[in-house]
Amino acid sequence: MQKYHFMQFAATRLYTGAVAYSPDGTQIAHINNATGQFNLWTIPSGGGMPRQLTSYTDNTVRDVAWRPDGAALVFLADQNGDEQHQVYTIPMRGGWAEALTDKLDAQHIIADHPYSPDMKMLAYSGNDVDPAQMEIILRDLDTGETSRPIAYEGGMYVPVSWSPDGRYLLAARLTSNTDQDVLLLDMQTDTVTVATEHEGEMIFAAGAWTKDSAGFYVISNTGREFTGLAYYRIAEAAWEWVEMPDHDVERVELSDDGRVLVWAINDSGVFKLYGRDLHTGMALPMPDLPFGVIDGLDINPDGTRAAVIFTTPAEAANLYEIDLKTGAMIALGQSMLGGVDPIDMGLPELVDYPTHDGRMIPAWLYRPKGEGQFPVVLSIHGGPEAQERPRYAYNGLYQYLLNRGFGILAPNVRGSTGYGISYQKLIHRDWGGAELGDIEYAAKYLQTLDWVDSNRIAIFGGSFGGYATLSAVTRLPDYWALGVDIVGPSNLITFVKSVPPHWRSMMRDLVGDAEDDQAMLIERSPITYVDQVRVPLLVIQGAKDPRVNQAESDQMVERIRNNGGDVRYYVDENEGHGATRRENAIKWYQMIAEYIEEYLLDEPVNA
């Protein structure tokens, strides 16, 4: 097998999950980092010359939607990864973006379809008045005046979409990751109805409206472990199931003409796409997707094509278009630029292993080619209510390590999504508890594999995965040869106090309260066990990180250094919770690759 430089795997053009057809279906708006930063682009449906609309170097474009007449777009962008997203609009014909919000210490979120059909109102949410309250804001596009139609009652409020007749605005109330509601704002009567009244914790996520404005689709897990697809009828104030698979429905789109419905199902992290002609009831021809993940989905207005952002373990996220009449799928972009032969890419195997309480933990196992005993990286995903999926991960880091003779085990420890709501909730108020046992048993599982060198197991992760890494090297020090922590919390008390204000009520339920749960949070904090660190540790932190403050890394590094420990620390002054600029992202992951090679390979490669 040919050996490649790290830069060949990292030479990618990345596409985010934001994708949207223009109202006439001729253009696809999307976001990619071809310029080195994530900017706004359009490309003709069917393929053609892409057109760049923004030219930011510091700002990162995060989301986009079209104005109903197609003459302009609205988008979100933040600066240096600070996640204080502002709302902008830009003409389709080109020009400089106009900021509609300018409170740079506030976060904003635009609706999926933010413009009212008559283009008089724009719906978004923000915590610009009270940092602890994410409220829905309606902006009069003629006068610039804003109003707030909902009395805040706890939780985050986010607009979703306007009904085609303009009477209703759908909104979401997010109390936690596992407790959500759909609200119906009636613009004629100035009333707000909770369309999904329920007891206990349930997920309700609003989907697309039908053409006649009689109802809308909803994704929910009511009475189920997995989310299914339902349809809500306004006249009856009731909903009924449409699809009830044994896996999560994650995305649903309906064509503007109301004829074509398309949805995606997550089967253990692998995505499958389904479609139906609602006029005939017939299933649509869908492509047999490669082994991978759908990050974004939209349907053109007449239901003849779908745009998807799709990634596999061997290909970074790319923009594709599907012909919904034939099922043909063509690439409109190019994400892999490094000249790596696809035959030299490795694919993971879905495995599971037993853990301390008898559960089976699902995991993706990447085995390097060849014979012998290999070092392995145990990779813990962020979230924790997220999922390790078969994708081109960490700017090609997985593939590079495989190419250099490393194995990778990437488990979905308890708390991960995609395996039922009960499994997901196991992490609530138990950070550093039972899931740390899952990590220990992942190491024990690796020790049973005859091709793994048990003396060369590294642990790696970002965000919650960084916290898990710190927990592992402090509380389970005998299993690891080294650790890599990216933007991970080290002290749960300072962490829950420093998260963005509008997250704090959720954090009490997810992690704990700094005062009421002080003893538990101290007992679960890696900083409490810092004297037990025995292995080299690399820590990477973004100075602008609003989620995990730099103090989380500072205090851990300082304590290790005071103890004479081996710790290497890099702070990126111009990034936040991860790197958005391509050059910085490459720097982070090349640094990680070289660090792992330095300690775990007999002949490290300076690629």
Side-chain angles (χ1 to χ4, degrees), residues 332-351:
L332 300 186
Q334 179 187 7
S335 62
M336 302 299 292
L337 308 175
V340 178
D341 191 330
I343 200 172
D344 292 325
M345 296 284 192
L347 296 179
E349 174 190 3
L350 183 60
V351 300

mmCIF file of all heavy atoms in Angstrom, residues 332-351:
data_model
loop_
_atom_site.group_PDB
_atom_site.id
_atom_site.type_symbol
_atom_site.label_atom_id
_atom_site.label_comp_id
_atom_site.label_asym_id
_atom_site.label_seq_id
_atom_site.Cartn_x
_atom_site.Cartn_y
_atom_site.Cartn_z
ATOM 1 N N LEU A 332 -21.844 17.356 -7.675
ATOM 2 C CA LEU A 332 -21.742 18.709 -8.209
ATOM 3 C C LEU A 332 -20.455 19.393 -7.759
ATOM 4 O O LEU A 332 -20.092 20.433 -8.309
ATOM 5 C CB LEU A 332 -22.937 19.556 -7.757
ATOM 6 C CG LEU A 332 -24.322 19.075 -8.171
ATOM 7 C CD1 LEU A 332 -25.375 20.104 -7.777
ATOM 8 C CD2 LEU A 332 -24.385 18.791 -9.668
ATOM 9 N N GLY A 333 -19.798 18.833 -6.775
ATOM 10 C CA GLY A 333 -18.569 19.422 -6.261
ATOM 11 C C GLY A 333 -17.461 18.400 -6.231
ATOM 12 O O GLY A 333 -17.617 17.250 -6.665
ATOM 13 N N GLN A 334 -16.327 18.828 -5.715
ATOM 14 C CA GLN A 334 -15.184 17.948 -5.542
ATOM 15 C C GLN A 334 -14.592 18.227 -4.175
ATOM 16 O O GLN A 334 -14.149 19.336 -3.895
ATOM 17 C CB GLN A 334 -14.120 18.186 -6.620
ATOM 18 C CG GLN A 334 -12.897 17.299 -6.477
ATOM 19 C CD GLN A 334 -11.785 17.654 -7.446
ATOM 20 O OE1 GLN A 334 -11.879 18.660 -8.156
ATOM 21 N NE2 GLN A 334 -10.736 16.852 -7.484
ATOM 22 N N SER A 335 -14.610 17.230 -3.307
ATOM 23 C CA SER A 335 -14.122 17.458 -1.950
ATOM 24 C C SER A 335 -12.724 16.896 -1.703
ATOM 25 O O SER A 335 -12.030 17.367 -0.811
ATOM 26 C CB SER A 335 -15.097 16.850 -0.932
ATOM 27 O OG SER A 335 -15.208 15.456 -1.102
ATOM 28 N N MET A 336 -12.313 15.903 -2.475
ATOM 29 C CA MET A 336 -11.011 15.278 -2.259
ATOM 30 C C MET A 336 -10.018 15.807 -3.282
ATOM 31 O O MET A 336 -10.180 15.616 -4.485
ATOM 32 C CB MET A 336 -11.127 13.758 -2.363
ATOM 33 C CG MET A 336 -12.120 13.151 -1.380
ATOM 34 S SD MET A 336 -11.709 13.442 0.355
ATOM 35 C CE MET A 336 -10.233 12.458 0.526
ATOM 36 N N LEU A 337 -8.969 16.484 -2.796
ATOM 37 C CA LEU A 337 -8.031 17.175 -3.687
ATOM 38 C C LEU A 337 -6.604 16.673 -3.546
ATOM 39 O O LEU A 337 -5.692 17.193 -4.226
ATOM 40 C CB LEU A 337 -8.062 18.684 -3.386
ATOM 41 C CG LEU A 337 -9.443 19.350 -3.379
ATOM 42 C CD1 LEU A 337 -9.319 20.809 -2.935
ATOM 43 C CD2 LEU A 337 -10.091 19.260 -4.746
ATOM 44 N N GLY A 338 -6.361 15.681 -2.691
ATOM 45 C CA GLY A 338 -4.989 15.301 -2.370
ATOM 46 C C GLY A 338 -4.394 14.187 -3.202
ATOM 47 O O GLY A 338 -3.233 13.820 -2.997
ATOM 48 N N GLY A 339 -5.169 13.611 -4.122
ATOM 49 C CA GLY A 339 -4.612 12.580 -4.981
ATOM 50 C C GLY A 339 -4.405 11.236 -4.307
ATOM 51 O O GLY A 339 -3.590 10.430 -4.771
ATOM 52 N N VAL A 340 -5.146 10.953 -3.238
ATOM 53 C CA VAL A 340 -5.038 9.649 -2.585
ATOM 54 C C VAL A 340 -5.877 8.644 -3.372
ATOM 55 O O VAL A 340 -7.048 8.893 -3.654
ATOM 56 C CB VAL A 340 -5.526 9.712 -1.125
ATOM 57 C CG1 VAL A 340 -5.454 8.332 -0.481
ATOM 58 C CG2 VAL A 340 -4.705 10.717 -0.328
ATOM 59 N N ASP A 341 -5.276 7.525 -3.724
ATOM 60 C CA ASP A 341 -5.994 6.486 -4.450
ATOM 61 C C ASP A 341 -7.073 5.902 -3.540
ATOM 62 O O ASP A 341 -6.767 5.454 -2.425
ATOM 63 C CB ASP A 341 -5.016 5.385 -4.867
ATOM 64 C CG ASP A 341 -5.632 4.389 -5.850
ATOM 65 O OD1 ASP A 341 -6.860 4.171 -5.797
ATOM 66 O OD2 ASP A 341 -4.882 3.821 -6.662
ATOM 67 N N PRO A 342 -8.338 5.885 -3.983
ATOM 68 C CA PRO A 342 -9.411 5.334 -3.129
ATOM 69 C C PRO A 342 -9.132 3.921 -2.651
ATOM 70 O O PRO A 342 -9.607 3.530 -1.570
ATOM 71 C CB PRO A 342 -10.637 5.392 -4.038
ATOM 72 C CG PRO A 342 -10.355 6.511 -4.990
ATOM 73 C CD PRO A 342 -8.870 6.447 -5.238
ATOM 74 N N ILE A 343 -8.358 3.164 -3.404
ATOM 75 C CA ILE A 343 -8.078 1.786 -2.995
ATOM 76 C C ILE A 343 -7.236 1.735 -1.728
ATOM 77 O O ILE A 343 -7.211 0.727 -1.013
ATOM 78 C CB ILE A 343 -7.375 1.019 -4.145
ATOM 79 C CG1 ILE A 343 -7.521 -0.494 -3.927
ATOM 80 C CG2 ILE A 343 -5.905 1.410 -4.255
ATOM 81 C CD1 ILE A 343 -7.047 -1.329 -5.086
ATOM 82 N N ASP A 344 -6.576 2.845 -1.421
ATOM 83 C CA ASP A 344 -5.735 2.901 -0.226
ATOM 84 C C ASP A 344 -6.473 3.446 0.994
ATOM 85 O O ASP A 344 -5.870 3.600 2.066
ATOM 86 C CB ASP A 344 -4.485 3.754 -0.493
ATOM 87 C CG ASP A 344 -3.539 3.099 -1.482
ATOM 88 O OD1 ASP A 344 -3.438 1.867 -1.453
ATOM 89 O OD2 ASP A 344 -2.914 3.823 -2.281
ATOM 90 N N MET A 345 -7.743 3.767 0.835
ATOM 91 C CA MET A 345 -8.552 4.195 1.969
ATOM 92 C C MET A 345 -9.069 2.971 2.726
ATOM 93 O O MET A 345 -9.306 1.914 2.140
ATOM 94 C CB MET A 345 -9.746 5.027 1.497
ATOM 95 C CG MET A 345 -9.379 6.332 0.827
ATOM 96 S SD MET A 345 -8.861 7.566 2.036
ATOM 97 C CE MET A 345 -8.852 9.050 0.988
ATOM 98 N N GLY A 346 -9.263 3.131 4.024
ATOM 99 C CA GLY A 346 -9.787 2.046 4.836
ATOM 100 C C GLY A 346 -11.223 2.299 5.249
ATOM 101 O O GLY A 346 -11.615 3.438 5.498
ATOM 102 N N LEU A 347 -12.016 1.243 5.325
ATOM 103 C CA LEU A 347 -13.402 1.339 5.769
ATOM 104 C C LEU A 347 -13.540 0.664 7.129
ATOM 105 O O LEU A 347 -12.896 -0.360 7.393
ATOM 106 C CB LEU A 347 -14.346 0.681 4.766
ATOM 107 C CG LEU A 347 -14.412 1.321 3.381
ATOM 108 C CD1 LEU A 347 -15.374 0.538 2.497
ATOM 109 C CD2 LEU A 347 -14.839 2.773 3.468
ATOM 110 N N PRO A 348 -14.382 1.201 7.989
ATOM 111 C CA PRO A 348 -14.537 0.605 9.310
ATOM 112 C C PRO A 348 -15.524 -0.556 9.307
ATOM 113 O O PRO A 348 -16.367 -0.689 8.422
ATOM 114 C CB PRO A 348 -15.083 1.772 10.138
ATOM 115 C CG PRO A 348 -15.902 2.555 9.160
ATOM 116 C CD PRO A 348 -15.179 2.447 7.846
ATOM 117 N N GLU A 349 -15.420 -1.347 10.339
ATOM 118 C CA GLU A 349 -16.354 -2.443 10.597
ATOM 119 C C GLU A 349 -17.176 -2.078 11.822
ATOM 120 O O GLU A 349 -16.648 -1.583 12.820
ATOM 121 C CB GLU A 349 -15.572 -3.732 10.846
ATOM 122 C CG GLU A 349 -16.415 -4.916 11.273
ATOM 123 C CD GLU A 349 -15.587 -6.101 11.749
ATOM 124 O OE1 GLU A 349 -14.342 -5.980 11.801
ATOM 125 O OE2 GLU A 349 -16.191 -7.140 12.094
ATOM 126 N N LEU A 350 -18.497 -2.317 11.749
ATOM 127 C CA LEU A 350 -19.350 -2.082 12.899
ATOM 128 C C LEU A 350 -19.249 -3.282 13.840
ATOM 129 O O LEU A 350 -19.571 -4.412 13.469
ATOM 130 C CB LEU A 350 -20.805 -1.871 12.454
ATOM 131 C CG LEU A 350 -21.807 -1.551 13.563
ATOM 132 C CD1 LEU A 350 -21.441 -0.265 14.294
ATOM 133 C CD2 LEU A 350 -23.220 -1.442 12.983
ATOM 134 N N VAL A 351 -18.777 -3.016 15.064
ATOM 135 C CA VAL A 351 -18.627 -4.071 16.060
ATOM 136 C C VAL A 351 -19.365 -3.648 17.322
ATOM 137 O O VAL A 351 -19.840 -2.522 17.436
ATOM 138 C CB VAL A 351 -17.139 -4.332 16.386
ATOM 139 C CG1 VAL A 351 -16.376 -4.760 15.141
ATOM 140 C CG2 VAL A 351 -16.478 -3.098 17.015
#
